[in-house]
C-alpha cells in the first residue's frame, strides 16, 4: 500500500516563528488532507488539497502531486498552534480510504 | 449538531467484555469510515461503508471486531471479548461522496481495557 512519511517528527518553536511541515507519499493520490489534532484528540480539518496551493489565514499548503509531496506552512506561530499535524492521502480505487502519516508534533512556546 | 457525533466519548471495559461504539455521521453523508488510533500513532483504517454496504473491512484486526450500518446512516462498531491491546481511540469519519472528497472526523471514543 501507499507509504506516507512526515517530517520532522517533532518541532519546537518560539511564538512568532514560521515553520514548514513536509509530507512525502509513495504513489499517485487523488485525495490529500492536512489535519490538526488538538489536545482533546479532535482531528480538525485544515486543508483538502490533492493538488495546488491554498491559504487560510496564517496557514497555507501546497501539494505537488507529480513529485509526490505536500507542504504545510505555518506563519507567525501561536501557542494554540501546538498539537500534532497529520497528513493523510487517498488513492484511486477501492474504498478511497485515507492513509495517515505518523504526524509532526509541534510545540510553540510563549 | 452539524458534525460527526460519537458515543460514548469514554469507555472502560474489563478484559473479556463486549463493547459497542456508536457513530452518527453528518446528515446525508454517503461514506462512513472507522479508524483506530493508538497512543502516539496516526489513525489506522478499520472499515468503510458506502450507504449500508460494507465495502472494505480489510483493516479490522480480528474477527472480534464487527461493524454495521444497517440503514445507511448510524453505524456501530462492536468489539467482542475485549483485550488490553484493543485500548485505543476509535474515530469515525464521514464524507458526502462515494469517492474522493473531504473527510470529516468525530471526536472519537476512547476505550480502555483493564
Amino acid at each position: 500500500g501507499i507509504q506516507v512519511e512526515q517530517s520532522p517528527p517533532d518541532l519546537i518553536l518560539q511564538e512568532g516563528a514560521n515553520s514548514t511541515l513536509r509530507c512525502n507519499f509513495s504513489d499517485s493520490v487523488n485525495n490529500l488532507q492536512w489535519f490538526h489534532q488538538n489536545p482533546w484528540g479532535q482531528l480538525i480539518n485544515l486543508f483538502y488539497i490533492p493538488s495546488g496551493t491554498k491559504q487560510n489565514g496564517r496557514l497555507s499548503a501546497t501539494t505537488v502531486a507529480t513529485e509526490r509531496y505536500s507542504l504545510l506552512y505555518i506563519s507567525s506561530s501561536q501557542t494554540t498552534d501546538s498539537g500534532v499535524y497529520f497528513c493523510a492521502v487517498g488513492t484511486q480505487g477501492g474504498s478511497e480510504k485515507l492513509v495517515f502519516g505518523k504526524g509532526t508534533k509541534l510545540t510553540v512556546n510563549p | 449538531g452539524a458534525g460527526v457525533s460519537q458515543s460514548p466519548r469514554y469507555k472502560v471495559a474489563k478484559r473479556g467484555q463486549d463493547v459497542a461504539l456508536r457513530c452518527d455521521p453528518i446528515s446525508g453523508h454517503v461514506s462512513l469510515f472507522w479508524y483506530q488510533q493508538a497512543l502516539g500513532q496516526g489513525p489506522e483504517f478499520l472499515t468503510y461503508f458506502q450507504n449500508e454496504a460494507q465495502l472494505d473491512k480489510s483493516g479490522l484486526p480480528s474477527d472480534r471486531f464487527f461493524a454495521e450500518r444497517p440503514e445507511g446512516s448510524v453505524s456501530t462498531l462492536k468489539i467482542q471479548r475485549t483485550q488490553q491491546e484493543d485500548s485505543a481511540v476509535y474515530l469515525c469519519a464521514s464524507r458526502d461522496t462515494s469517492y474522493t472528497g473531504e473527510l470529516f472526523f468525530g471526536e472519537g471514543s476512547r476505550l480502555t481495557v483493564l
Side-chain angles (χ1 to χ4, degrees), chain B:
Chain B
V4 178
S5 178
Q6 293 188 245
S7 61
R9 290 291 316 280
Y10 303 93
K11 176 70 178 178
V12 178
K14 291 183 179 178
R15 190 174 55 182
Q17 285 184 330
D18 298 348
V19 299
L21 308 176
R22 177 188 170 103
C23 173
D24 278 274
I26 294 172
S27 179
H29 275 198
V30 169
S31 299
L32 185 146
F33 297 79
W34 284 98
Y35 282 79
Q36 180 189 58
Q37 186 174 21
L39 192 63
Q41 302 295 316
E44 300 219 348
F45 169 79
L46 292 177
T47 188
Y48 160 69
F49 290 86
Q50 187 180 115
N51 296 306
E52 69 278 4
Q54 189 175 20
L55 298 186
D56 187 345
K57 53 183 181 179
S58 62
L60 296 176
S62 77
D63 58 7
R64 296 186 295 103
F65 286 71
F66 172 77
E68 60 183 3
R69 195 186 185 197
E71 297 179 358
S73 57
V74 171
S75 177
T76 303
L77 176 67
K78 298 179 179 178
I79 309 173
Q80 298 177 323
R81 304 181 305 280
T82 53
Q83 303 294 315
Q84 284 189 322
E85 61 262 30
D86 300 335
S87 296
V89 176
Y90 291 86
L91 295 163
C92 177
S94 70
R95 185 175 66 205
D96 63 356
T97 58
S98 301
Y99 299 103
T100 193
E102 192 171 3
L103 204 58
F104 295 91
F105 280 82
E107 294 179 302
S109 293
R110 182 179 296 276
L111 173 65
T112 302
V113 181
L114 302 178

Side-chain angles (χ1 to χ4, degrees), chain A residues 30-31 33 35 37 40-43 45 47-48 86 94-102, chain B residues 9 33 35 37 41-43 45 48 56 58 91 95 99-107:
Chain A
N30 64 355
N31 189 346
Q33 289 185 241
F35 296 91
Q37 190 162 45
W40 297 271
Q42 173 85 52
L43 281 167
N45 290 36
F47 294 102
Y48 169 69
F86 287 105
S95 64
E96 307 289 348
K97 67 191 179 206
L98 289 182
V99 177
F100 282 75
K102 293 186 176 182
Chain B
R9 290 291 316 280
F33 297 79
Y35 282 79
Q37 186 174 21
Q41 302 295 316
F45 169 79
Y48 160 69
D56 187 345
S58 62
L91 295 163
R95 185 175 66 205
Y99 299 103
T100 193
E102 192 171 3
L103 204 58
F104 295 91
F105 280 82
E107 294 179 302

Side-chain angles (χ1 to χ4, degrees), chain A residues 19-32:
Chain A
S19 63
T20 301
L21 281 59
R22 187 176 180 101
C23 173
N24 291 335
F25 40 94
S26 61
D27 203 348
S28 300
V29 300
N30 64 355
N31 189 346
L32 191 146

